[in-house]
Amino acid sequence: MRGLLLLWAWAAAVWLAVSAVAHPGRGGVGEQPLSRIAVERVVLAVNDAAHVKASPLVLGHKGENSEWVDVEFFHPNPSGDDWIGVFSPSNFSDAICESENTGPPVLCTAPIKYQFANFKNDGYNKTGKGYLKLQLINQREDFSFALFSGGLSKPKLIAVSNKVAFANPKAPVYPRLAQGKSWNEMTVTWTSGYDITEAVPFVEWGEKGGRRLLAPAGTLTFDRNSMCGSPARTVGWRHPGYIHTSYLKDLWPDSPYTYRLGHRLMNGTRIWSKSYSFKASPYPGQDSLQRVVIFGDMGKAEADGSNEFNDFQPGSLNTTYQIIRDLENIDMVVHIGDICYANGYLSQWDQFTAQIEPIASTVPYMIGSGNHERDWPGTGSFYGNHDSGGECGVPAQTVFYTPAENRAKFWYATDYGMFRFCIANTEEDWRPGTEQYRFIEQCLSSVDRQKQPWLIFLAHRVLGYSSCTYYESEGTFEEPMGREALQELWQKYKVDLAFYGHVHSYERTCPVYQSQCVVDGSDHYSGPFQATTHVVVGGAGASIFDSEFTTSKIQWSHFTDFDHGFVKLTAINHSSLLFEYKKSRDGNVYDHFTISRDYRDILACSIDNCPRTTLAS
């Protein structure tokens, strides 16, 4: 009964700040599903005849980080808008409320996921009997399940379940690999419930079959006051746990390594994750097959159908599964912004890192910053909107490692074999005279094209070309001030490809400069560099609603696809590159082209005398 009273105290007064961040035609609806629940309006309607029961009580007996739970429930007066919420931690108290929430509420959190009671329960509306099979991941706290009526806008608390917990809720989970600041360094970042005062984090690693080494790890976290606004610092707040990063150095090119995450408790006991493996990066300029997957705007979805993912990020699981199926033929992933669309609901970062664990634990998973990670008024972001839900970049730059000089600025260069990637941050000013503009030019100009002939520019918002209806309505076909600021750099330093997200669809241009095709769009390009090909690949998972293309004939737009998908680049050797666009629903190739050139014209750039090319010349 005491637990029920606590839940009533919570339910009667939780305050919810809805962060609906619509982006007509350029970011999808952008709504976080959890923001639909008006928890602040919950009223107590406990019915002694109703019940919710969850089993098993303890998860992860064999070290699993993910388990399925059976939830059986009954409501004597059922309706079609009844729903089940999953809450963690299972018990709440007014101690977690911040002073900015004056008076009620006395409890301050939203559910981490929800599902309608009649989901796959066709007879529920008549019998009141229902059953759901829900997937839980280890998120450092226990769980409970609550039955509500009244829909999402006027919820009434009907019944609360027993508690369910993982055997070791603090266990190290969800490793994320990333390229270090040097080519022969791999970083491993993971999440746990262990503060450094409780346990020492480290990685046990070594060449496959070789001797084992121990590498120490640093630990970061953040608190509610690190968030810039609501819901991130109110109903969306959930402690992120402790984020650990270890640096595995002096790797041998292309060598296979194995590793596992460890924590040494103060009594000497060691807590271990399962074992993982990766292949070290090739030596810069090494002539071997090198394959990189690129996409933006993926987000997360629930494998059990929770949170109505079919209305929010329907393609994210398909994209994830297709990459996992082809993982043996992938060497690195670059996710250029709009990572998980947590939008201030911090539990979703755990959900996302769990979703991509099979990928990120095996190959470097490099990220860029998007509007849904960074933007918030008055915090220095280039755009003063509310898209981050009050996160203002803090979770993204903490949960993931990037080899940036300043991780808060989120721009960086990374090399992989024959590739140089220059990853910009469109949520900070990129125009001439800014620090980021100087970085972009330095990244493009400093590459040794004899070793790394394939020069790639990446950014979240479309700084190049997009024929989506939103950009058409602005009259720019780009993010304003985008290519005007950067097209001279792309042309001067002969950037092969520029990738963008933000628009939730796919588009490829011809090799284009100053809005004119220098070469007609084709499936094969050969000979000297002419101009950069621009690619929008923001359809990895988030809703494609309102990301349509213009019906006007655009000369530089060569191929468009209004669907979910991603790009795979394959450097065959120093003079041959294969580009493939694959759809997430079947993994098949729907657009492709090859580049063949000897790069004699490119090599002149190594001493910074790349001639500017204009259409007149």
Side-chain angles (χ1 to χ4, degrees):
M1 186 64 185
R2 180 174 177 272
L4 189 59
L5 289 174
L6 280 171
L7 274 166
W8 158 233
W10 152 77
V14 175
W15 176 74
L16 178 66
V18 175
S19 177
V21 282
H23 292 280
R26 60 190 174 108
V29 293
E31 183 187 18
Q32 166 54 247
L34 296 176
S35 72
R36 301 170 185 170
I37 302 174
V39 182
E40 83 283 4
R41 299 175 186 165
V42 168
V43 295
L44 180 63
V46 172
N47 189 319
D48 290 338
H51 68 258
V52 184
K53 299 177 182 177
S55 63
L57 301 183
V58 180
L59 311 174
H61 281 295
K62 298 180 180 179
E64 300 93 338
N65 298 330
S66 173
E67 289 261 30
W68 289 82
V69 175
D70 298 313
V71 182
E72 179 267 323
F73 49 92
F74 172 71
H75 188 349
N77 303 300
S79 67
D81 57 4
D82 294 353
W83 56 279
I84 295 286
V86 183
F87 297 91
S88 178
S90 62
N91 284 339
F92 304 87
S93 74
D94 59 4
I96 68 171
C97 283
E98 292 295 299
S99 58
E100 65 186 71
N101 296 317
T102 57
V106 293
L107 292 164
C108 317
T109 188
I112 63 172
K113 60 197 289 186
Y114 73 94
Q115 183 53 273
F116 285 102
N118 59 12
F119 181 71
K120 297 185 178 179
N121 293 305
D122 295 336
Y124 174 78
N125 291 358
K126 292 182 178 180
T127 67
K129 295 180 180 180
Y131 167 82
L132 291 173
K133 199 170 185 67
L134 299 176
Q135 187 179 50
L136 298 183
I137 65 166
N138 192 340
Q139 290 185 261
R140 302 170 302 283
E141 297 283 357
D142 56 6
F143 302 85
S144 62
F145 305 81
L147 173 63
F148 293 85
S149 65
L152 303 180
S153 59
K154 297 179 181 179
K156 299 176 183 179
L157 179 62
I158 304 298
V160 181
S161 78
N162 52 282
K163 299 177 184 179
V164 171
F166 277 83
N168 181 7
K170 293 186 175 184
V173 291
Y174 321 130
R176 287 89 72 185
L177 300 177
Q179 292 280 95
K181 290 186 177 181
S182 61
W183 70 268
N184 59 349
E185 177 182 74
M186 188 73 77
T187 68
V188 186
T189 300
W190 73 96
T191 307
S192 84
Y194 292 115
D195 188 2
I196 55 172
T197 60
E198 187 177 5
V200 177
F202 63 95
V203 173
E204 181 190 75
W205 67 288
E207 284 192 81
K208 196 170 184 178
R211 70 187 184 94
R212 313 311 292 162
L213 304 170
L214 298 182
T219 299
L220 297 173
T221 191
F222 53 90
D223 59 25
R224 189 193 300 262
N225 292 329
S226 303
M227 303 293 93
C228 295
S230 177
R233 65 187 302 161
T234 54
V235 295
W237 170 256
R238 189 179 189 276
H239 195 280
Y242 300 96
I243 314 300
H244 316 281
T245 298
S246 184
Y247 303 82
L248 314 184
K249 300 175 180 290
D250 299 324
L251 305 179
W252 289 72
D254 288 324
S255 294
Y257 288 85
T258 60
Y259 69 98
R260 59 176 177 165
L261 317 172
H263 290 265
R264 189 183 72 242
L265 304 182
M266 294 310 160
N267 64 7
T269 302
R270 295 191 175 191
I271 306 296
W272 297 103
S273 74
K274 68 178 184 180
S275 293
Y276 301 89
S277 62
F278 68 89
K279 187 180 74 170
S281 301
Y283 187 79
Q286 178 179 307
D287 201 344
S288 61
L289 203 64
Q290 296 153 15
R291 303 146 302 184
V292 180
V293 164
I294 299 172
F295 56 81
D297 307 71
M298 184 165 77
K300 56 160 287 293
E302 297 291 339
D304 58 23
S306 297
N307 292 2
E308 295 187 290
F309 71 81
N310 282 326
D311 292 330
F312 185 49
Q313 290 143 2
S316 63
L317 287 180
N318 284 342
T319 299
T320 301
Y321 296 156
Q322 291 296 347
I323 294 172
I324 292 171
R325 290 188 185 105
D326 194 36
L327 200 53
E328 290 185 356
N329 303 306
I330 295 170
D331 299 306
M332 188 165 76
V333 169
V334 184
H335 186 162
I336 46 175
D338 284 8
I339 307 301
C340 69
Y341 293 87
N343 294 5
Y345 292 85
L346 277 300
S347 64
Q348 306 300 284
W349 285 96
D350 288 311
Q351 302 283 345
F352 179 77
T353 53
Q355 176 176 306
I356 65 164
E357 181 193 46
I359 304 168
S361 64
T362 306
V363 300
Y365 197 98
M366 314 304 295
I367 69 165
S369 180
N371 50 302
H372 285 282
E373 284 76 59
R374 179 64 184 88
D375 294 359
W376 193 257
T379 64
S381 59
F382 196 45
Y383 299 86
N385 55 46
H386 293 77
D387 291 5
S388 75
E391 293 180 7
C392 54
V394 174
Q397 70 197 39
T398 307
V399 172
F400 285 87
Y401 173 85
T402 60
E405 290 302 316
N406 183 334
R407 284 166 70 174
K409 293 178 179 177
F410 239 124
W411 55 71
Y412 62 93
T414 190
D415 296 331
Y416 191 91
M418 293 176 282
F419 287 106
R420 158 67 61 90
F421 297 99
C422 297
I423 301 174
N425 177 8
T426 55
E427 311 317 299
E428 304 285 346
D429 197 346
W430 62 80
R431 294 171 294 178
T434 63
E435 182 181 359
Q436 182 168 197
Y437 182 90
R438 291 190 291 273
F439 154 75
I440 293 171
E441 180 158 29
Q442 192 277 335
C443 183
L444 298 178
S445 65
S446 62
V447 61
D448 181 348
R449 298 300 285 271
Q450 189 166 9
K451 290 182 178 178
Q452 289 152 313
W454 307 112
L455 181 56
I456 314 297
F457 176 84
L458 306 101
H460 176 64
R461 295 175 187 261
V462 181
L463 301 183
Y465 297 84
S466 168
S467 65
C468 83
T469 52
Y470 173 79
Y471 284 132
E472 179 189 33
S473 68
E474 285 204 332
T476 59
F477 292 105
E478 55 146 353
E479 201 69 35
M481 303 176 290
R483 62 176 177 267
E484 291 82 0
L486 298 174
Q487 65 182 342
E488 292 302 319
L489 295 182
W490 297 325
Q491 195 70 10
K492 177 181 179 181
Y493 296 111
K494 304 181 189 298
V495 174
D496 295 290
L497 294 160
F499 287 93
Y500 316 99
H502 202 52
V503 176
H504 298 171
S505 53
Y506 170 78
E507 183 169 20
R508 168 167 69 101
T509 72
C510 61
V512 58
Y513 177 60
Q514 296 178 348
S515 300
Q516 299 294 319
C517 287
V518 179
V519 179
D520 289 339
S522 174
D523 292 339
H524 179 70
Y525 303 103
S526 60
F529 172 89
Q530 298 294 322
T532 302
T533 296
H534 295 257
V535 181
V536 175
V537 60
S543 173
I544 59 175
F545 173 73
D546 73 3
S547 290
E548 297 92 346
F549 298 104
T550 178
T551 56
S552 304
K553 177 62 177 176
I554 306 298
Q555 185 246 356
W556 41 257
S557 182
H558 178 66
F559 189 101
T560 60
D561 186 46
F562 190 59
D563 205 347
H564 294 108
F566 55 94
V567 161
K568 182 178 180 181
L569 291 182
T570 301
I572 299 170
N573 51 45
H574 280 69
S575 58
S576 299
L577 179 73
L578 171 65
F579 173 107
E580 297 172 297
Y581 164 66
K582 299 185 176 186
K583 289 198 180 190
S584 300
R585 54 184 164 87
D586 57 17
N588 293 333
V589 176
Y590 285 81
D591 184 32
H592 74 279
F593 66 90
T594 55
I595 300 176
S596 299
R597 60 172 72 108
D598 60 19
Y599 276 89
R600 284 174 294 181
D601 62 319
I602 294 291
L603 296 181
C605 294
S606 63
I607 55 174
D608 195 26
N609 64 352
C610 303
R612 274 186 167 80
T613 303
T614 66
L615 292 176
S617 62

